[in-house]
Amino acid sequence: MAKAIKQIKKKNHNQEEEQASAVASIVKEIANNSDAILTMIGIVKNLHEMGALDTISALIEKRNDVGVIAIQQINKPEMHKTIKNGINTFNFLGTIDPEQLRTMLFGITKGLERASESVGKKENQSLWQMGKAMRNPDTRATISMMMDFMQGMGEGMANVPTNKK
Amino acid sequence: MDNQKFPIKINGKDFDAIQGQTILEVAKSQDYEIPSICYHPNLGTIQTCDTCFVQVKGELVRACATKAEPGMEVDTLSKMVKDAQYEAMSRILKNHELYCTVCDNNNGNCVVHNTAEYLEIEHQKYKFEAKPYPPDNSHPFYRYEPDQCILCGRCVEACQDLQVNETLTIDWEREAPRVIWDNDVPIDESSCVSCGHCVNVCPCNALMEKSMLGEAGYLTGIPANMLGPMIDLTKEVEPGYKEIFAISEMEAAMRKARIKRTKTVCTYCGVGCSFEVWTKGREILKIEPTEEAPVNGISTCVKGKWGWDFVNSEERLTHPLIRKGEEFVEATWEEALNLIAGKLTEIKDQHGANSIGYIASSKCSNEENYLFQKFARAVMGTNNVDNCSRYCQSPATAGLMRTVGIGGDAGTIKDIAAAELVIVVGANPAESHPVLSTRIKRAHKLHGQKLIVADLRKNELAERADVHLHPKPGTDLIWISAVTKYILDQGWQDKEFLENRVNGLDDYLTSLEKFTLEYAEERTGLTKDEMIQIAAMIHEAKSVCALWAMGVTQHMGATDTSTAISNLLLITGNYGKTGTGAYPLRGHNNVQGACDFGTMPAWFPGYEPVQDREVRERYEKAWGVSLPEEPGYDNHQMVEGIHKGELKALYLFGEDMALVDSNSNYVDSCLEKLDFFVVQDIFFSKTAQFADVVLPAAPSLEKDGTFVNTERRIQRFYKVFEPLGQSKPDWEIFRDLANLMGAKWAYTHPGEIMKEAASLAKLFSGVSYERLEGWNSQLWPVTADGTDTPLLFEERFGFPDGKAKLVAVDWTEPFQPGEEYDLFLNNGRLLEHFHEGNMTYKSEGLTHKVPHPWVEISLELAQERNIEDGSLVSLTSPYGNVEVRAIITDRVKGNELYLTMNTREDNEAVNKLTSSYHDKVTHTPAFKEMDVKMEVLELKGEPPLPEVNHRFGNRIPQISVRVEEKWKRDDFTPIQDLFRGDEYGQSDQAN
């Protein structure tokens, strides 16, 4: 004879058992990864000494308040410009042929060397000397390149892609 | 011309087109991308989004609405096409703010996101404009955010023409159109049945599962006071959408690391819907159906879409329990299994193997049912094993076994959709098999399918039917036989079919003689005209499917009525062709599979008799034991056996017998008498209260396995979570127990169990987990090479000579308890809850929609007895008494009551009223044969059904989204008018 019953006696020590088994599995993982854990402890110790942990903890705790302030600061016209300029610059870099830039930069490096030599001499070239220098093929190459650059720039300025397609 | 293939050119490349396909379908079928947003393969052409414009003969046409023609040349790349698509996408983005990275729908499958990206939208032509409506968060499960709604109408199409609940429309008349529910009421107060179709098809985040909000993304939980400025900032500095898309794609990819997507098969009815479960840890984010799902596509119902909270319920059993005195005490698996092994051995030794019964579960997997019958037969030496199909479906199976030789649905859901005429007898598929019923509703609404419903209640399908028959309770056999006789008298039978494919015509004709229209009219209450009309409709239809369920099978003459239905189909030649056949609608997810895999007292897996020596030897050899040859007890006989003192112990899993078996008071008194009772379940059920040992089992989401749906389709489901606490999958419990008793079973995965079953049962020869991978499925019989059988009987019926049998049957008068019991008691399931609600009441949202059971009382009876909505009434039968609150409705007529079964309370449960009378052949209880007397206990009270229930809604039927009304608006300019040749005009738009 078994009457219907609803009473269930839960073992009190179940929670302790579950805790014990959870702790055991954590200890096992720690033992298996002791090197990584020790390194991490080192990092945490340093962060703590720096006071960085307190800062991070406060930031996390107050993440919404801090986030709102930050986003308000960022969501201003100057910041819009900064971000847009950042993105435009980034995009600009993406459009340059690395080989061309390398040639240019190499030239600029050489140019700088010579320029700093000239600064060191503390002696300016006379107009005559400058005139003579124009005959120098290296100088001519730079100037003709500058002329091409200016032409291209003019072309580019006339055809800036609009933001409305 | 049907199915004729011809080539067309898209961008100069050849594509095969089939007659009737649109350009878009041709492209999609060959994985060629033409952008589209509103088109969905399960919904068809809607024509609202305009992103699929292509160029044919110099003109812009919609690829989704233009049929491919031989020799057609399609250009999808020209400037005109690109400009048109850009215009269309810009109009969409005017209605939809792109904040993808902080959107919970950014999971790689957002159609709006992906289309905008594909079209390389850099900047938006028209500024986003918020709509003047707040979001609707009234519904417990989903929200509508008008600001994000692109008005594509997918949701409306799905609601109107796929689910066919007809709740959603778009009001194109107002200045800012939006989707509205009913006559523009909050979602929760509408006729919405919460099926989830609209959410499933929404191409963006306008309609979303609330369980996803703030949970899916890494940044989506951000509070509104931070999110607003963040969106503004993003828009202010945006260099173009390309960069935004790059970031949102990265974020979507990161989400995949923490959102797990697992295919599963629904356990809420026999239709067999499959879908993905999206989870984060143990949290269910959403149910995501896909068009690849073989049965349901993107369709779901309220339970399948939302009803899974029970998996993480606090009330789950997590430890084995052992009865000690007046209480259950938590135990270890070792203690529990040792106790069971010891007790079962002791009882077997003392009283014989047949003194123990085994009741299996039609909710559990094929593999679990296979192992359980193997345990009963091979380890415990008895055939006393049965499953709960005994409570519902056995008579249908028996009726089909008699007539066509195979006890399963003749075809698939596609045949039901394709039939010219569907006859539904004693079934309420709109509530009990919701997704299957959507296919009938759709075919009936859009494709001219005729529908006959024979039911006591004006249920949803009855409301929609061309003819609703309301025969007297329990008289279906009579009108079906009379209609069959009339068809024969008119010479409308399929003579060739009968000649070539059917035996037993002469005897059958003799048996029909008494079923004249006059006799039927007298007994059934139907008119001759009604029956003649039915006969004529069957005669005129080229293909007929007959569907039935508990209204037929839970009667004393249930097998005979099922037989009569099959006879009618044979007489009219409605077997073996597309769109024909018999479809008993299986109620549980694995009723079919439990029977298929052998938890039946007389059958091994695959319906091979235990009495057949050759079959038995095959199993004896494989299992290395000798097996009992006499059929064992079925469920009913087990209860009788306990009563008589022959059955001493019972092992039951996944079944709440104390509530769902008929005549509960009697069953309960028997359960009390058992010497030893093991109950295995996921919850501490009513039945578990009688147990000596309760074992905690794991539900489908916590294990692997397969189910067989009502179509005979075998589908795999995959483990989503680890079992909760110390619960275990049922198959592991059987394995461990068997091994404790010396069985040495080495199964480590259900796939191995299926392999063994397939190697032994011919019906499943070619079934394997590899062939069932992912969305693949197999419909039995499956031959060794893996060929399955979607449609049965194309060549032969399931008898040795390949011919079907007409079987003479006679009417069995239903049980009537006596004059004083003056009201007929009908009963059944309802949409929102599964059975008694052990699982579905764990969902707050479902409980919000339906918190209580109720009894439906007709307008006439309510007036006569002075009863109102909310009155508390007591119903009394000779077997017991219940007290429930009333709902007055015209769904029931006259003296017929309908009591819903969604309760776990003794004094509300219908089976306190039902008897132990049963079907003569299969012993299925006659749940649907009871009369009661009624007493009003309290006139006034709170109505048991809240006003936020769909039954009080106000449907707005229409076909599709009525895009023509959008096109008629003054502010709408057709895109094709803007881009004629090179003369582009100016645009206004209203989408």
Coordinates of all heavy atoms in Angstrom, one line a residue, chain B residues 609-635:
Chain B
P609 N 5.3 -9.5 -34.9 CA 4.6 -10.1 -33.7 C 5.6 -10.9 -32.8 O 6.4 -11.6 -33.3 CB 3.6 -11.0 -34.3 CG 3.7 -10.9 -35.8 CD 4.8 -10.0 -36.2
V610 N 5.4 -10.7 -31.5 CA 6.2 -11.5 -30.6 C 5.9 -13.0 -30.7 O 6.7 -13.8 -30.3 CB 6.0 -11.0 -29.1 CG1 6.5 -9.6 -28.9 CG2 4.6 -11.2 -28.6
Q611 N 4.7 -13.3 -31.2 CA 4.3 -14.7 -31.3 C 5.0 -15.4 -32.5 O 4.9 -16.6 -32.6 CB 2.8 -14.9 -31.4 CG 2.2 -14.7 -30.0 CD 0.7 -14.5 -30.1 OE1 0.2 -13.6 -30.8 NE2 -0.1 -15.3 -29.4
D612 N 5.6 -14.6 -33.4 CA 6.2 -15.2 -34.6 C 7.6 -15.8 -34.2 O 8.5 -15.0 -33.8 CB 6.3 -14.1 -35.6 CG 6.8 -14.6 -37.0 OD1 7.7 -15.5 -36.9 OD2 6.4 -14.1 -38.0
R613 N 7.7 -17.1 -34.3 CA 8.9 -17.7 -33.8 C 10.2 -17.2 -34.6 O 11.2 -16.9 -33.9 CB 8.8 -19.3 -34.0 CG 9.8 -20.0 -33.1 CD 9.3 -21.5 -33.0 NE 9.2 -22.1 -34.3 CZ 10.2 -22.9 -34.8 NH1 11.3 -23.0 -34.1 NH2 10.1 -23.4 -36.0
E614 N 10.0 -17.0 -35.9 CA 11.2 -16.6 -36.6 C 11.7 -15.2 -36.2 O 12.9 -15.0 -36.0 CB 10.8 -16.5 -38.1 CG 11.9 -16.4 -39.1 CD 11.3 -16.1 -40.5 OE1 10.3 -16.7 -40.9 OE2 11.9 -15.2 -41.1
V615 N 10.7 -14.3 -35.9 CA 11.1 -13.0 -35.5 C 11.7 -13.1 -34.1 O 12.8 -12.5 -33.8 CB 9.8 -12.1 -35.4 CG1 10.2 -10.7 -34.8 CG2 9.1 -12.0 -36.7
R616 N 11.1 -13.9 -33.2 CA 11.6 -14.0 -31.9 C 13.0 -14.5 -31.9 O 13.9 -14.0 -31.1 CB 10.7 -14.9 -31.1 CG 10.5 -14.4 -29.6 CD 9.4 -15.2 -28.9 NE 9.4 -16.6 -29.1 CZ 8.4 -17.2 -29.8 NH1 7.4 -16.5 -30.2 NH2 8.4 -18.5 -30.0
E617 N 13.3 -15.5 -32.7 CA 14.6 -16.1 -32.8 C 15.7 -15.0 -33.2 O 16.8 -15.1 -32.8 CB 14.6 -17.3 -33.7 CG 14.1 -18.5 -33.0 CD 13.9 -19.7 -34.0 OE1 14.2 -19.5 -35.2 OE2 13.4 -20.7 -33.5
R618 N 15.2 -14.2 -34.1 CA 16.1 -13.1 -34.6 C 16.6 -12.2 -33.4 O 17.8 -11.9 -33.2 CB 15.4 -12.2 -35.6 CG 16.4 -11.3 -36.3 CD 15.6 -10.2 -37.2 NE 14.5 -10.8 -37.9 CZ 13.3 -10.1 -38.1 NH1 13.2 -8.8 -37.6 NH2 12.3 -10.6 -38.7
Y619 N 15.6 -11.9 -32.6 CA 15.9 -11.1 -31.4 C 16.7 -11.9 -30.3 O 17.6 -11.4 -29.7 CB 14.7 -10.4 -30.8 CG 14.2 -9.2 -31.6 CD1 13.4 -9.3 -32.7 CD2 14.7 -7.9 -31.3 CE1 13.0 -8.2 -33.4 CE2 14.3 -6.8 -32.0 CZ 13.4 -7.0 -33.1 OH 13.1 -5.9 -33.8
E620 N 16.3 -13.1 -30.2 CA 17.0 -14.0 -29.2 C 18.5 -14.1 -29.5 O 19.3 -14.0 -28.7 CB 16.3 -15.3 -29.1 CG 15.0 -15.3 -28.4 CD 14.2 -16.6 -28.4 OE1 14.5 -17.5 -29.2 OE2 13.4 -16.8 -27.5
K621 N 18.7 -14.3 -30.8 CA 20.1 -14.4 -31.2 C 20.9 -13.1 -31.0 O 22.0 -13.1 -30.5 CB 20.1 -14.8 -32.7 CG 21.4 -15.3 -33.2 CD 21.3 -15.8 -34.7 CE 22.7 -15.7 -35.3 NZ 22.7 -15.3 -36.7
A622 N 20.3 -12.0 -31.4 CA 21.0 -10.7 -31.2 C 21.2 -10.4 -29.8 O 22.2 -9.8 -29.4 CB 20.1 -9.6 -31.9
W623 N 20.2 -10.7 -28.9 CA 20.3 -10.3 -27.5 C 20.9 -11.3 -26.6 O 21.1 -11.1 -25.4 CB 18.9 -9.9 -27.0 CG 18.3 -8.6 -27.7 CD1 19.0 -7.7 -28.4 CD2 17.0 -8.2 -27.6 NE1 18.2 -6.8 -28.9 CE2 16.9 -7.0 -28.4 CE3 15.8 -8.6 -27.0 CZ2 15.7 -6.3 -28.5 CZ3 14.6 -7.9 -27.2 CH2 14.6 -6.7 -27.9
G624 N 21.0 -12.6 -27.1 CA 21.6 -13.6 -26.4 C 20.8 -14.1 -25.2 O 21.3 -14.4 -24.1
V625 N 19.5 -14.1 -25.3 CA 18.6 -14.5 -24.2 C 17.4 -15.3 -24.9 O 17.2 -15.2 -26.1 CB 17.9 -13.3 -23.5 CG1 19.0 -12.6 -22.6 CG2 17.2 -12.4 -24.4
S626 N 16.6 -15.9 -24.1 CA 15.4 -16.5 -24.6 C 14.2 -15.5 -24.2 O 14.2 -15.0 -23.2 CB 15.1 -17.9 -24.2 OG 14.7 -17.9 -22.8
L627 N 13.3 -15.4 -25.2 CA 12.3 -14.3 -25.0 C 10.9 -14.9 -24.8 O 10.6 -16.0 -25.4 CB 12.3 -13.4 -26.2 CG 13.5 -12.5 -26.4 CD1 13.6 -11.9 -27.8 CD2 13.6 -11.5 -25.3
P628 N 10.0 -14.3 -24.0 CA 8.7 -14.7 -23.8 C 7.9 -14.7 -25.1 O 8.0 -13.7 -25.9 CB 8.1 -13.8 -22.7 CG 8.9 -12.5 -22.9 CD 10.3 -13.0 -23.3
E629 N 7.0 -15.7 -25.3 CA 6.3 -15.7 -26.6 C 4.9 -15.2 -26.6 O 4.3 -14.8 -27.6 CB 6.4 -17.1 -27.2 CG 5.6 -18.1 -26.5 CD 5.9 -19.5 -27.1 OE1 6.9 -20.1 -26.8 OE2 5.1 -19.9 -28.0
E630 N 4.3 -15.2 -25.4 CA 2.9 -14.7 -25.4 C 2.8 -13.2 -25.2 O 3.6 -12.6 -24.4 CB 2.1 -15.3 -24.2 CG 1.8 -16.8 -24.4 CD 1.0 -17.0 -25.6 OE1 0.0 -16.3 -25.9 OE2 1.4 -17.9 -26.4
P631 N 1.9 -12.5 -25.9 CA 1.8 -11.1 -25.7 C 1.5 -10.7 -24.3 O 0.9 -11.5 -23.6 CB 0.6 -10.7 -26.6 CG 0.5 -11.8 -27.6 CD 1.0 -13.0 -26.9
G632 N 2.0 -9.6 -23.8 CA 1.8 -9.2 -22.4 C 0.6 -8.4 -22.2 O -0.3 -8.2 -23.1
Y633 N 0.5 -7.7 -21.1 CA -0.6 -6.9 -20.7 C -0.4 -5.5 -21.4 O 0.7 -5.0 -21.5 CB -0.6 -6.6 -19.2 CG -1.1 -7.7 -18.3 CD1 -0.7 -7.7 -16.9 CD2 -1.9 -8.7 -18.8 CE1 -1.1 -8.7 -16.1 CE2 -2.3 -9.7 -17.9 CZ -1.9 -9.7 -16.6 OH -2.4 -10.7 -15.7
D634 N -1.5 -4.9 -21.8 CA -1.5 -3.5 -22.2 C -1.8 -2.7 -21.0 O -2.1 -3.2 -19.9 CB -2.5 -3.2 -23.4 CG -3.9 -3.5 -23.0 OD1 -4.3 -3.4 -21.9 OD2 -4.7 -3.9 -23.9
N635 N -1.8 -1.3 -21.1 CA -2.0 -0.5 -20.0 C -3.2 -0.8 -19.2 O -3.2 -0.9 -18.0 CB -2.1 1.0 -20.4 CG -0.8 1.6 -20.9 OD1 0.2 0.9 -20.8 ND2 -0.8 2.8 -21.3

